[in-house]
Amino acid sequence: MSRVVQIRCAFSKCGAANSKADGSMKRVLLWISCAVIFLLLIFLSAGWWFLRGSLPLLDGQLAVGIGGPSAAVTIERDVAGAPTITGKNIEDVAYGLGFAHAQDRFFQMDLARRLAAGELAALIGVSAVPTDKKLRVFRFRAVAQRVVSDATPAQRSWIKAYTRGVNRGMAALRSRPWEYGVLRLKPQPWQAEDSILVLHSMWYQLQYQNIISEQARRQIISRIESQVSDASLTASVTQFLFARGNEWDTPNFQTLSQAHSANGAEPFQAPPIPSPAVFNLRNFSVSGVNQAGTVNAPEPESVSKVGSNAWVVSGRYTANGAALIAGDMHLGLRVPTVWYRTRLRLNQSRIDNQEDQSMELNGVTLPGLPFIAAGSNGYIAWSFTNSYGNWVDVNSVSCDATQFSARRERIEVAHAKAIEIEIKESLLGTLIDTGSDASSVASTCWVVRWLAVEPGATNLVALELMQARDVEAALSIAPSVGMPQQNFIVGDRSGHIAWSIIGRIPIGNLGPMTPRPVQWRLSQEVPKIVDPEVGRIWSANARQVEGEFEVVLGNEQAQGGMSYDSGARVRQIRDDLLGLKNPATPMDMLNIQLDDRGLFLTRWQRLLLATLDEDALKNSPQRIEMRRYVSVWGGRADPNSVGYRIVREFRDKTRQASWQMITSALKVAEGSQPNSLFEGSLWRLVTEQPMHWLSRDYLDWRAFILTQVDQLADELNKSCGSLSRCRWGQFNTMQIRHPLSAALGPLGPYLDMPALESSGDHDMPRVVGPTFGASERFAVSPGHEAEGYLQIPGGQSGHPLSPFYRTGFEDWITGRARPLLPSATVYRLTLNSSITRASE
């Protein structure tokens, strides 16, 4: 055999051997692949089973055992998951509501109670430690325990029935809510005090920002006082920076003659510009201005303060003769939504010691609390807007001269070591910040007194309010309701309407600085407007009333604007209401809520066009293009409008740059934001153009304004690629996200609401921003609930596998009316202590 043949044979044997080896290897790899796939399927199946196990029960009967309702409670749901909860009495209905809240929204409830208590880090981890440190100083858990202890027997029975319902709802799930699987933790049982903490979380959302802004205001005023020796001259500067109101203010009055007498023929004007002898910015060297003369200002906030719209039309001007209430409360937009739409049916209710009286309540509830926050009980309907008054006081004191008591608190941290913090308190308030004041060598401590922590400020009197039968009864109860102070807009089925403050107001004019124990005003001592001559009441966080009524709310802070919002939004609402030609209907109210005209920005559009004159446009294609879009802006916050976005951001940029010129000159509060009422003073600056209120880094005001124009054009071209792509909708795209979506990588977007563009903005009735806006929109006449509507930016359930997860979002984004009342029953679950076997 030749050598070639031998070699070939050798290779042939070797190839056979290799082929056999390859076959064995392939079989091994195949088995491994099959095993991996099998394990993956088991893992996915287990995950699917876990997720499905935390879906709520919808049908059948469930034994609830000891501590259940006194009689059967039914939870009926329509095709969108909106529940109708029916029970014998208020405690049984509260039990059913607690059950439904826990099954649909327990994680949301848990976040709310932990936020207020300063216990978020125990659930979320180290990222929540700064928030816990900020909130723990107020000891809200101890406050909540005191609230439950001080409650009446009826109130305690009510809140404890709700608590039992929450825990039974959790126990009825096959597996813990899915969020706890992601966090690798177990949910903790609900306690009665936790519901009070949920209410405290709303105190935080509505009023905590006032602490930050009040501290900045105090710093600025202190610095001005150190620079201007004459007290009267100091006042002129501070009143210019912190104006009492603006030209859009439209407070409510009992009579038309009172309104005319207060306002006169001329609208409210911003204070006059202080003279160069009092304050001259050109004498200061302004930090934060670079060599090109542009201000390195922080990005302006995309939305303004927490607020709301609400109004009521007297039965004299409605189609059905009953009062017509409309409301949209403005809060952060998130998944799941803030509110949970609910219908509660009581077969018996205790009202003025009467029995056997049925009642039906429709509206929105806050998961964690057993009452309708806004809506109708068939006799009255109500809504709120955040009230700005003297609810918080922040003061600087010498750290050396102030006697502080100290205590240590332990903050638990999920999957990490606990940390300890020291909290200091004095008779003057709780320590929130230490530092060195620019006008003093001594160390400065900032302390806060907040009505939220005072005994009696929070309570469970909302139980009585839910069952009021007319406006008079509601007004008698409202001042005793322990909640964040709100403008209370109410009307009844007889057509009567009213405004008052709901929430506790101290006797005296010192607000939180009232000596302890705080004594609270009674109903007859609280301002109110009942059946005003004009037949309408409007509210949108601006100056609601004036004169003696305002003194009750704010005393000396009234002169500084009390953190009111600009009156532009409420002026537009008032004019829309008074412009109705026919008797008002719910659809008229929705049209007002969806009004996206940019009336507030119209004068800024004109200013920008006037600035971009022939001289400004020479050799500047960028300015020419900007002017072209601004001239056809459309005057609405339309998603397709490039011009609206340019005008809006031009105003924001000019506002922030002007404010930073001032704070940089004073070398204090340099990162702060101007309050809403600075708008009137700002307009005087950019139109009257006083040189002594302009930094010497600018030749004149025209140069200052053109600098903002050019900076804005550069920024928009950089962020959008070209100016033509910078539509308002590109900015105003919804970012309504689940708090855990960012942690889930590519799966996260499946938890969020669709990223759709929306019309609307802040200073108009249709308040919509990417993460902030109308958390609901509704209108209803008590006794005519079938004519009402309710829009919510998301679904009932917090579970992504639920068919109710996104229902409602599309109606909210498009503005399509969705009935207030649930539709036909699709699912029915009965909670009954006598049933021994559960079925699903």
Side-chain angles (χ1 to χ4, degrees):
M1 184 182 297
S2 70
R3 185 170 181 81
V4 174
V5 174
Q6 289 176 346
I7 291 174
R8 285 177 177 172
C9 289
F11 272 107
S12 178
K13 292 177 181 178
C14 182
N18 286 341
S19 178
K20 186 176 182 179
D22 287 345
S24 300
M25 181 60 70
K26 288 179 180 178
R27 284 193 295 272
V28 171
L29 292 175
L30 180 61
W31 278 105
I32 292 174
S33 298
C34 290
V36 170
I37 293 172
F38 180 71
L39 291 174
L40 181 61
L41 288 174
I42 292 177
F43 175 78
L44 291 174
S45 297
W48 183 258
W49 181 91
F50 174 79
L51 285 174
R52 296 288 303 175
S54 58
L55 282 168
L57 305 178
L58 299 179
D59 280 313
Q61 300 189 32
L62 179 69
V64 294
I66 298 174
S70 63
V73 170
T74 60
I75 303 175
E76 300 170 291
R77 296 178 186 261
D78 67 3
V79 68
T84 296
I85 300 171
T86 305
K88 178 182 178 181
N89 52 44
I90 193 72
E91 290 87 359
D92 288 356
V93 169
Y95 183 97
L97 181 59
F99 186 97
H101 277 168
Q103 293 233 313
D104 281 331
R105 301 283 192 91
F106 186 82
F107 184 67
Q108 176 188 1
M109 296 161 59
D110 198 5
L111 289 178
R113 66 173 171 178
R114 289 176 179 274
L115 170 68
E119 298 169 359
L120 266 179
L123 183 67
I124 302 300
V126 293
S127 63
V129 168
T131 301
D132 281 356
K133 288 181 177 179
K134 183 168 61 176
L135 270 296
R136 187 67 69 87
V137 300
F138 298 108
R139 301 185 68 195
F140 276 129
R141 183 166 288 282
V143 175
Q145 291 168 346
R146 183 179 64 213
V147 170
V148 175
S149 176
D150 292 344
T152 67
Q155 293 167 357
R156 201 175 302 117
S157 175
W158 172 54
I159 200 68
K160 289 188 174 181
Y162 176 81
T163 300
R164 293 193 300 273
V166 170
N167 290 322
R168 189 63 184 90
M170 282 290 292
L173 297 173
R174 284 204 317 262
S175 60
R176 57 189 163 166
W178 67 271
E179 298 94 339
Y180 296 91
V182 174
L183 296 171
R184 296 179 289 127
L185 293 169
K186 292 183 179 181
Q188 298 300 308
W190 198 256
Q191 302 178 71
E193 68 198 54
D194 293 334
S195 289
I196 311 304
L197 286 170
V198 171
L199 187 52
H200 285 145
S201 75
M202 194 56 68
W203 278 92
Y204 169 74
Q205 291 184 61
L206 297 175
Q207 293 187 3
Y208 187 83
Q209 184 57 39
N210 290 0
I211 296 176
I212 307 302
S213 58
E214 177 67 4
Q215 182 178 356
R217 187 175 80 93
R218 295 285 188 184
Q219 289 174 323
I220 291 170
I221 291 175
S222 176
R223 182 64 171 152
I224 292 172
E225 289 173 344
S226 72
Q227 296 294 309
V228 182
S229 57
D230 190 313
S232 63
L233 299 179
T234 299
S236 70
V237 179
T238 59
Q239 288 170 12
F240 183 73
L241 296 180
F242 302 99
R244 178 173 177 264
N246 62 31
E247 55 267 55
W248 290 281
D249 280 357
T250 52
N252 291 268
F253 293 93
Q254 187 68 48
T255 67
L256 292 174
S257 62
Q258 288 175 340
H260 182 77
S261 174
N263 293 330
E266 297 297 326
F268 182 91
Q269 295 293 322
I273 299 172
S275 70
V278 178
F279 190 80
N280 193 337
L281 211 63
R282 300 187 81 78
N283 292 336
F284 293 91
S285 175
V286 180
S287 61
V289 178
N290 62 32
Q291 293 180 351
T294 58
V295 178
N296 297 323
E299 286 295 319
E301 295 177 344
S302 60
V303 295
S304 295
K305 61 175 84 274
V306 171
S308 301
N309 298 332
W311 58 86
V312 59
V313 180
S314 164
R316 290 182 288 142
Y317 299 99
T318 65
N320 55 32
L324 178 56
I325 293 281
D328 48 295
M329 295 178 276
H330 307 152
L331 295 166
L333 302 178
R334 64 191 187 212
V335 178
T337 61
V338 173
W339 306 109
Y340 184 88
R341 60 187 300 146
T342 309
R343 174 162 63 182
L344 304 178
R345 283 176 168 165
L346 287 69
N347 294 329
Q348 293 181 6
S349 60
R350 293 190 297 272
I351 306 169
D352 299 328
N353 297 317
Q354 301 177 35
E355 296 289 342
D356 300 319
Q357 298 193 42
S358 62
M359 178 173 282
E360 179 176 300
L361 298 99
N362 287 277
V364 293
T365 59
L366 183 63
L369 289 168
F371 54 80
I372 298 290
S376 171
N377 68 5
Y379 298 92
I380 65 168
W382 67 95
S383 191
F384 308 115
T385 69
N386 200 30
S387 172
Y388 289 91
N390 190 12
W391 320 132
V392 169
D393 270 324
V394 181
N395 289 287
S396 62
V397 297
S398 170
C399 297
D400 296 333
T402 304
Q403 296 296 318
F404 288 100
S405 61
R407 71 178 189 280
R408 300 196 68 81
E409 292 266 343
R410 181 182 177 88
I411 295 179
E412 301 292 338
V413 183
H415 312 300
K417 291 183 179 179
I419 64 172
E420 286 195 353
I421 61 171
E422 185 176 66
I423 297 172
K424 292 185 176 181
E425 293 179 323
S426 75
L427 294 176
L428 298 175
T430 301
L431 180 67
I432 58 168
D433 188 21
T434 58
S436 180
D437 184 75
S439 63
S440 175
V441 177
S443 60
T444 300
C445 283
W446 289 92
V447 295
V448 61
R449 286 278 300 273
W450 189 4
L451 287 178
V453 303
E454 297 296 331
T458 307
N459 61 37
L460 293 170
V461 177
L463 170 64
E464 284 74 39
L465 178 67
M466 280 200 308
Q467 301 176 85
R469 296 281 176 133
D470 54 35
V471 160
E472 183 180 3
L475 291 178
S476 69
I477 297 169
S480 300
V481 177
M483 60 180 284
Q485 291 82 3
Q486 301 285 288
N487 293 303
F488 181 49
I489 311 298
V490 61
D492 63 27
R493 65 195 306 172
S494 297
H496 298 294
I497 65 175
W499 163 88
S500 187
I501 292 293
I502 190 169
R504 316 301 302 277
I505 302 176
I507 293 174
N509 296 323
L510 297 178
M513 299 307 291
T514 299
R516 292 185 171 112
V518 175
Q519 301 296 312
W520 304 104
R521 291 181 184 268
L522 302 176
S523 175
Q524 62 270 23
E525 302 171 303
V526 172
K528 56 179 71 73
I529 294 175
V530 182
D531 291 329
E533 186 178 350
V534 73
R536 291 95 166 168
I537 296 173
W538 44 83
S539 180
N541 315 114
R543 190 158 56 100
Q544 184 74 24
V545 291
E546 66 174 27
E548 288 302 312
F549 283 176
E550 194 178 25
V551 170
V552 172
L553 304 182
N555 193 26
E556 85 289 348
Q557 290 194 19
Q559 293 302 318
M562 292 206 302
S563 296
Y564 291 141
D565 199 3
S566 164
R569 186 160 34 101
V570 74
R571 168 69 66 90
Q572 201 161 326
I573 290 169
R574 183 204 65 174
D575 292 348
D576 285 345
L577 283 171
L578 296 179
L580 293 176
K581 301 301 182 184
N582 299 309
T585 68
M587 290 305 98
D588 293 325
M589 305 300 98
L590 181 58
N591 290 335
I592 295 174
Q593 289 172 333
L594 299 178
D595 182 359
D596 61 1
R597 291 174 299 152
L599 303 184
F600 169 75
L601 290 177
T602 299
R603 66 185 188 181
W604 285 95
Q605 185 248 6
R606 293 170 180 163
L607 173 65
L608 184 51
L609 288 177
T611 303
L612 294 175
D613 55 18
E614 185 176 351
D615 286 341
L617 298 181
K618 288 179 180 178
N619 303 316
S620 180
Q622 189 166 256
R623 291 179 182 175
I624 292 173
E625 184 182 23
M626 179 177 280
R627 194 184 199 285
R628 184 171 71 250
Y629 284 117
V630 171
S631 64
V632 293
W633 75 314
R636 310 184 81 95
D638 187 312
N640 292 315
S641 176
V642 174
Y644 181 85
R645 180 172 179 180
I646 292 171
V647 174
R648 202 270 205 171
E649 295 203 36
F650 165 67
R651 176 263 180 184
D652 290 351
K653 194 169 190 63
T654 303
R655 175 176 179 262
Q656 186 62 37
S658 300
W659 184 256
Q660 186 166 344
M661 276 199 304
I662 298 166
T663 56
S664 294
L666 293 171
K667 292 182 171 58
V668 66
E670 295 183 43
S672 66
Q673 297 282 330
N675 68 20
S676 296
L677 296 181
F678 179 64
E679 179 69 22
S681 299
L682 170 64
W683 188 249
R684 296 195 79 149
L685 291 177
V686 298
T687 53
E688 298 179 31
Q689 301 191 351
M691 289 300 294
H692 63 287
W693 276 82
L694 181 70
S695 162
R696 64 187 182 206
D697 296 274
Y698 298 97
L699 178 64
D700 54 28
W701 276 94
R702 177 179 171 83
F704 170 80
I705 294 174
L706 284 173
T707 296
Q708 312 315 312
V709 170
D710 291 338
Q711 275 193 309
L712 176 61
D714 290 340
E715 291 167 3
L716 292 178
N717 276 293
K718 183 177 179 180
S719 63
C720 301
S722 69
L723 204 59
S724 63
R725 297 179 182 176
C726 280
R727 301 175 301 104
W728 176 242
Q730 189 225 28
F731 171 86
N732 208 37
T733 298
M734 297 301 95
Q735 300 174 24
I736 306 178
R737 294 172 177 163
H738 192 282
L740 296 183
S741 65
L744 294 178
L747 297 177
Y750 292 100
L751 300 178
D752 303 332
M753 291 296 117
L756 301 179
E757 297 179 355
S758 176
S759 62
D761 197 2
H762 177 76
D763 292 294
M764 57 183 59
R766 185 168 190 168
V767 175
V768 179
T771 60
F772 178 89
S775 57
E776 44 69 42
R777 301 186 193 103
F778 80 93
V780 62
S781 289
H784 303 269
E785 285 71 22
E787 301 171 8
Y789 64 85
L790 172 61
Q791 298 174 345
I792 295 180
Q796 287 293 104
S797 176
H799 199 300
L801 297 185
S802 169
F804 317 134
Y805 190 66
R806 290 185 170 86
T807 53
F809 174 76
E810 186 178 349
D811 293 328
W812 178 85
I813 196 77
T814 61
R816 183 169 57 238
R818 187 182 187 90
L820 171 70
L821 297 181
S823 58
T825 297
V826 177
Y827 309 96
R828 180 186 176 94
L829 176 68
T830 301
L831 309 179
N832 196 323
S833 300
S834 65
I835 301 298
T836 58
R837 181 181 177 184
S839 61
E840 298 179 27

